[in-house]
Amino acid sequence: MKSYFRKEIDAIAGYTPGEQPKMANLIKLNTNENPYPPSPQVLEVLRNFDPARLRRYPDPTADELRDLFAASVDMKRENVIIGNGSDDLLTMIFRAFTSPELPVAIFEPTYSLYPVLAAMQGAKVIKIALDPTDFSYPDDAVQKAGNANLLIITRPNAPTGNCASRELVRNICRDFDGIVLIDEAYSDFAPDNCADLAAKFDNVLVMRTFSKGSSMAGLRLGYAFGSENLISGLMKLKDSYNADMLSQELAKANFLDAEYREKCVAQIIADRDKLAAGLNKLGFKVIPSAANFLFAAPPDGDGEKCFTFLRERAVIVRYFPGEVTGSYLRITIGTPAENERLLAVLQERFSK
Ligand SMILES: *Cc1c(COP(=O)(O)O)cnc(C)c1O
């Protein structure tokens, strides 16, 4: 049958999200969700929400949220754009800055959605390899990015969990002739972040999400900081009502309860380090992580076999086929009980 799709769409397989299986008693450590619920304040707002309000459209630009986020990093409303999850912002950013003439540069391995968005634009992807043994960053990234118009730094990186040094990121922002997007989906779990670089450099966007540190992946809310010029340009590409009324209100309540969020994050960080030690003891190679997951290679270097072994025992992690990534598993930090269960199952296979 004749295809009526653009050739770029026919050519792509589409993004494969981590599975959301329906099995009972499953230990789900595959999509980097937070194991803890959002702030109790969120429940309070939900309880008191009058459904009659839903007949109205929401604030199209979510200005209350923009003010809140801006204030948290000493910027202004005009420096913030809201997205229906940060994936929505990524769609806008790829539409704005990539095309068949305007390539994107990414590090490899990284978030596997980026190449899919590039393919939709018919844009070339320039891949800059991370060191295959410790996933550290090359010093000459700007040279390697060639004529790219957009360069993405995921910090902390996914699926590897490590961070590019702030010095390197700052130098890239200064030297790269194009847009630098710093994807901070996991920055809640890292010792520092790069929000200040969005204030300092006109070509820099810093993007955050409520899906990981803020326990609201089901809600879909993300935001990005940047110069007024970049943000007003991106606003032109935004769906009019891309953040719904409930998301705006619940995100606000959650954001304001920083104490609760920080407590959950601190617990996850402590459990991450405990799980890393447990995996090390079983002979795994564990990449030091600044995120809410670990990238770890089983002793036999066979990520796929280990993934299947865990899956058959109702523990779901993420496996990325590939020459470098195929030796590893990406394991989301769960509750202490979930992490212990994971270790107990792995012990059956790898105890010495
Ligand atoms: C999870 C994730 C996102 C997407 O987050 P949403 O706000 O849920 O769309 C973006 N970038 C990276 C690197 C992620 O891991």
Side-chain angles (χ1 to χ4, degrees):
M1 197 182 111
K2 178 181 165 187
S3 171
Y4 293 93
F5 284 97
R6 290 164 44 220
K7 64 180 190 313
E8 290 84 358
I9 306 303
D10 275 330
I12 59 178
Y15 177 69
T16 311
E19 48 181 339
Q20 298 289 350
K22 300 283 185 284
M23 279 155 76
N25 300 324
L26 190 83
I27 300 203
K28 187 176 176 306
L29 305 174
N30 67 332
T31 50
N32 297 344
E33 290 140 333
N34 201 303
Y36 303 109
S39 158
Q41 300 303 319
V42 169
L43 185 59
E44 228 15 59
V45 175
L46 260 182
R47 274 215 182 97
N48 297 319
F49 188 85
D50 175 6
R53 293 177 54 206
L54 290 176
R55 67 197 179 81
R56 300 277 193 207
Y57 282 107
D59 175 0
T61 48
D63 286 345
E64 261 195 89
L65 285 180
R66 293 171 80 200
D67 289 344
L68 264 181
F69 301 153
S72 73
V73 294
D74 264 331
M75 292 178 90
K76 291 188 303 189
R77 175 188 292 185
E78 290 73 24
N79 299 115
V80 184
I81 184 169
I82 306 294
N84 181 25
S86 50
D87 285 352
D88 178 37
L89 292 163
L90 284 172
T91 300
M92 294 179 218
I93 290 165
F94 273 79
R95 282 188 185 153
F97 301 114
T98 72
S99 75
E101 294 76 40
L102 300 171
V104 55
I106 61 174
F107 293 92
E108 179 80 0
T110 193
Y111 188 30
S112 53
L113 178 64
Y114 306 142
V116 176
L117 295 173
M120 287 180 198
Q121 293 298 114
K124 193 178 138 206
V125 180
I126 298 169
K127 293 183 174 170
I128 307 170
L130 298 177
D131 185 289
T133 55
D134 62 3
F135 303 107
S136 58
Y137 286 73
D139 290 327
D140 56 349
V142 169
Q143 285 75 7
K144 286 183 167 143
N147 65 337
N149 191 49
L150 171 67
L151 188 160
I152 306 180
I153 307 170
T154 313
R155 187 179 190 277
N157 191 38
T160 58
N162 61 313
C163 272
S165 78
R166 261 189 57 93
E167 192 194 357
L168 177 75
V169 175
R170 190 166 30 79
N171 291 345
I172 291 174
C173 293
R174 186 192 59 206
D175 299 339
F176 180 64
D177 180 19
I179 300 297
V180 179
L181 168 64
I182 307 171
D183 183 345
E184 293 198 334
Y186 300 100
S187 64
D188 287 318
F189 305 99
D192 57 20
N193 64 63
C194 294
D196 59 309
L197 299 180
K200 189 171 161 65
F201 295 101
D202 287 341
N203 62 327
V204 173
L205 290 164
V206 171
M207 191 176 76
R208 303 258 173 93
T209 174
F210 272 65
S211 298
K212 315 282 164 54
S214 293
S215 307
M216 286 186 148
L219 203 65
R220 315 305 303 133
L221 204 108
Y223 56 103
F225 300 117
S227 66
E228 285 193 39
N229 176 49
L230 287 184
I231 296 299
S232 63
L234 286 172
M235 284 284 192
K236 294 194 261 180
L237 301 151
K238 185 177 91 59
D239 283 347
S240 304
Y241 303 105
N242 65 333
D244 65 79
M245 191 185 287
L246 264 177
S247 295
Q248 291 188 33
E249 298 216 0
L250 300 183
K252 178 183 162 193
N254 202 33
F255 190 79
L256 289 172
D257 194 352
E259 193 184 329
Y260 173 87
R261 181 175 60 254
E262 282 158 17
K263 207 175 75 188
C264 296
V265 164
Q267 176 76 47
I268 292 166
I269 291 173
D271 292 335
R272 171 186 80 202
D273 297 342
K274 219 183 271 177
L275 183 60
L279 290 170
N280 268 321
K281 223 163 118 190
L282 289 174
F284 278 66
K285 173 186 172 188
V286 185
I287 303 298
S289 171
N292 65 336
F293 57 84
L294 292 171
F295 204 49
D300 61 0
D302 192 334
E304 187 170 20
K305 215 184 258 167
C306 192
F307 168 82
T308 307
F309 178 85
L310 286 168
R311 202 175 194 291
E312 285 165 359
R313 286 151 189 84
V315 180
I316 313 271
V317 298
R318 193 88 190 255
Y319 167 69
F320 299 93
E323 199 187 322
V324 176
T325 55
S327 311
Y328 292 82
L329 296 176
R330 192 194 68 188
I331 305 167
T332 305
I333 309 305
T335 61
E338 289 172 327
N339 303 336
E340 274 160 33
R341 173 79 194 133
L342 168 83
L343 281 175
V345 171
L346 287 174
Q347 201 146 20
E348 287 172 37
R349 184 171 165 80
F350 295 111
S351 70
K352 296 176 209 159

